[in-house]
């Protein structure tokens, strides 16, 4: 089985980018270890309390954020980072040629129930003409990404990675201490009978999504003429991983549940990197009205509707938005 560096070298990826990716993955290996320790590490729960020795306990997502931030900025090739856990961007080396965005621990409410969680990251080129503390550095569409990936902390720790040469899957080999290539080219099947959506929001969705899901639920007796199955992991990394492995459609549509927050998922930390991975595996990713990777961001923390996965199914769903 092949290690990451030779695979990236073969794809013609720049040495600095390879080094940056390896640094991010080293941090993820450390996060994987802490996740595997669970309650033993004293980092679960939602409060910043004290452990039995009187030491301050930090939540796992705070630890993951600090670890990633520190190691990424130390590489010297990164001009600035933007994290889902930080209010503002953090400046790095003014001469750095890359920007990194990340969600240190996606699906973090799953930590307390020992269920799937992961780290999502995206790498963009940095404009040399801008200052390192200028947030507008990050306002680039997803099509500008030079790499994107996630590390899924599951029964095995897995990495999905793209640098624009397809999406590859790697598995962490703890005996060797690194990720080994286990799927050279993820290929999302064009057709599917599986959907993932938080059905409890149904009454808050807009009409196109109401109609689309209603037709899926009618199964064989409805216009779709086949039965659909539903899955919901409540961590985007877990749901997208399933889609990469066996196809499906994943959606977090706009809703009116909280008028202040019509969309839930973040463009830069979740939607763009996942869209890059999905498209590179032959899938489609859209808001229902627009290709996600073509959105020009106006804010680093902006949220967006997401519909992604098997080509035919996502295109069918987009069709309901045109009607
Ligand atoms: O980032 C937010 C997130 O945890 C995603 O990973 C996941 O898809 C979604 O929220 C789950 O949302 P809900 O709480 O509605 O199930």
């Amino acid at each position: 089985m092949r290690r990451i560096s030779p695979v990236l070298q073969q794809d013609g990826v720049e040495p600095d980018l390879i080094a940056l990716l390896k640094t991010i993955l080293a941090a993820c290996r450390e996060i994987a270890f802490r996740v595997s320790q669970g309650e033993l590490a004293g980092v679960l729960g939602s409060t910043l309390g004290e452990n039995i020795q009187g030491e301050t306990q930090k939540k796992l997502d705070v630890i993951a954020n600090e670890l990633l931030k520190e190691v990424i900025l130390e590489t010297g090739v990164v001009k600035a980072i933007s994290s889902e856990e930080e209010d503002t961007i953090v400046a790095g080396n003014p001469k750095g040629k890359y920007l990194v965005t990340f969600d240190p621990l996606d699906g973090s409410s799953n930590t307390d129930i020992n269920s799937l969680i992961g780290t999502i990251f995206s790498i963009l080129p940095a404009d040399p003409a801008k200052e390192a503390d200028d947030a507008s550095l990050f306002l680039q569409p997803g099509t500008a990404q030079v790499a994107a990936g996630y590390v899924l902390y599951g029964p095995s720790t897995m990495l999905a990675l793209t640098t624009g040469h397809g999406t590859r899957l790697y598995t962490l080999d703890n005996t060797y201490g690194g990720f080994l290539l286990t799927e050279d080219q993820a290929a999302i099947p064009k057709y599917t009978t599986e959907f993932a959506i938080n059905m409890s929001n149904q009454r808050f969705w807009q009409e196109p999504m109401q109609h689309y899901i209603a037709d899926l639920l009618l199964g064989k007796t409805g216009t779709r003429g086949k039965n659909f199955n539903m899955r919901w992991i409540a961590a985007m990394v877990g749901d997208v991983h399933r889609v990469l492995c066996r196809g499906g459609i994943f959606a977090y549509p706009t809703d009116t549940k909280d008028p202040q927050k019509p969309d839930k998922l973040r463009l830069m930390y979740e939607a763009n990197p996942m869209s890059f991975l999905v498209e590179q595996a032959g899938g489609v990713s859209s808001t229902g009205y627009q290709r996600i990777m073509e959105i020009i961001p106006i804010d680093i923390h902006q949220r967006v509707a997401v519909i992604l996965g098997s080509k035919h199914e996502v295109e069918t769903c987009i069709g309901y938005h045109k009607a």
Side-chain angles (χ1 to χ4, degrees):
M1 266 179 264
R2 298 162 72 204
R3 292 179 298 116
I4 289 193
S5 299
V7 178
L8 295 173
Q9 278 158 7
Q10 180 201 305
D11 286 340
V13 177
E14 278 188 40
D16 279 350
L17 183 53
I18 296 180
L20 172 57
L21 285 167
K22 287 179 74 176
T23 302
I24 293 172
L25 296 177
C28 290
R29 287 204 307 269
E30 162 100 28
I31 298 168
F33 173 71
R34 292 184 187 233
V35 167
S36 73
Q37 291 287 92
E39 196 70 78
L40 300 175
V43 291
L44 306 185
S46 53
T47 52
L48 295 178
E50 282 191 347
N51 66 15
I52 202 155
Q53 283 90 29
E55 297 158 343
T56 304
Q57 284 179 300
K58 285 191 180 155
K59 276 168 55 182
L60 209 45
D61 45 3
V62 176
I63 293 174
N65 184 56
E66 282 170 6
L67 188 62
L68 282 161
K69 189 166 68 172
E70 194 179 310
V71 299
I72 291 171
L73 291 177
E74 268 172 14
T75 61
V77 296
V78 173
K79 188 159 184 162
I81 60 161
S82 183
S83 161
E84 202 191 51
E85 292 286 329
E86 307 269 343
D87 291 342
T88 56
I89 70 161
V90 183
N93 179 2
K95 294 200 166 62
K97 50 182 166 181
Y98 298 113
L99 305 171
V100 183
T101 76
F102 55 88
D103 179 354
L105 216 54
D106 178 64
S108 53
S109 66
N110 275 356
T111 44
D112 293 347
I113 57 163
N114 196 23
S115 194
L116 291 180
I117 46 178
T119 298
I120 310 172
F121 57 89
S122 157
I123 303 177
L124 290 159
D127 182 345
K130 289 187 178 172
E131 301 291 329
D133 60 358
D134 181 348
S136 76
L137 278 167
F138 288 89
L139 305 184
Q140 307 181 41
T143 49
Q145 295 171 101
V146 294
Y150 63 75
V151 174
L152 177 73
Y153 310 114
S156 6
T157 296
M158 289 195 72
L159 161 72
L161 180 66
T162 183
T163 54
H165 303 88
T167 292
R168 298 202 167 97
L169 304 178
Y170 299 80
T171 304
L172 180 62
D173 180 348
N174 279 317
T175 54
Y176 143 73
F179 288 92
L180 296 176
L181 185 66
T182 42
E183 175 60 67
D184 193 36
Q185 173 60 69
I188 300 174
K190 193 173 171 193
Y191 296 91
T192 185
T193 52
E194 200 160 66
F195 69 98
I197 196 163
N198 185 341
M199 282 298 296
S200 70
N201 293 330
Q202 183 174 26
R203 67 189 185 283
F204 302 109
W205 299 332
Q206 295 172 329
E207 250 179 55
M209 200 42 102
Q210 296 270 6
H211 289 153
Y212 169 69
I213 295 291
D215 282 348
L216 297 193
L217 295 178
L218 285 174
K220 257 191 178 159
T221 58
T223 51
R224 297 303 306 273
K226 57 180 182 178
N227 291 332
F228 284 79
N229 188 26
M230 198 198 91
R231 288 283 181 269
W232 186 247
I233 290 174
M236 191 186 191
V237 275
D239 282 308
V240 171
H241 189 69
R242 187 187 56 254
V243 167
L244 283 180
C245 291
R246 68 174 189 218
I249 181 168
F250 164 88
Y252 213 112
T254 302
D255 63 49
T256 55
K257 196 170 163 186
D258 174 357
Q260 305 303 316
K261 215 174 66 180
D263 297 309
K264 174 151 192 182
L265 302 178
R266 312 276 189 152
L267 177 61
M268 293 202 179
Y269 316 112
E270 293 165 319
N272 269 339
M274 292 311 203
S275 299
F276 195 14
L277 289 164
V278 164
E279 287 194 8
Q280 287 291 316
V284 173
S285 181
S286 167
T287 62
Y289 299 99
Q290 186 183 10
R291 182 181 171 212
I292 285 179
M293 291 218 290
E294 285 175 0
I295 296 172
I296 311 284
I298 50 171
D299 184 86
I300 54 167
H301 293 306
Q302 96 187 54
R303 297 171 192 267
V304 67
V306 175
I307 304 164
L308 58 77
S310 293
K311 186 171 189 295
H312 176 263
E313 201 52 44
V314 176
E315 283 170 353
T316 303
C317 182
I318 292 171
Y320 282 71
H321 291 75
K322 287 186 180 137

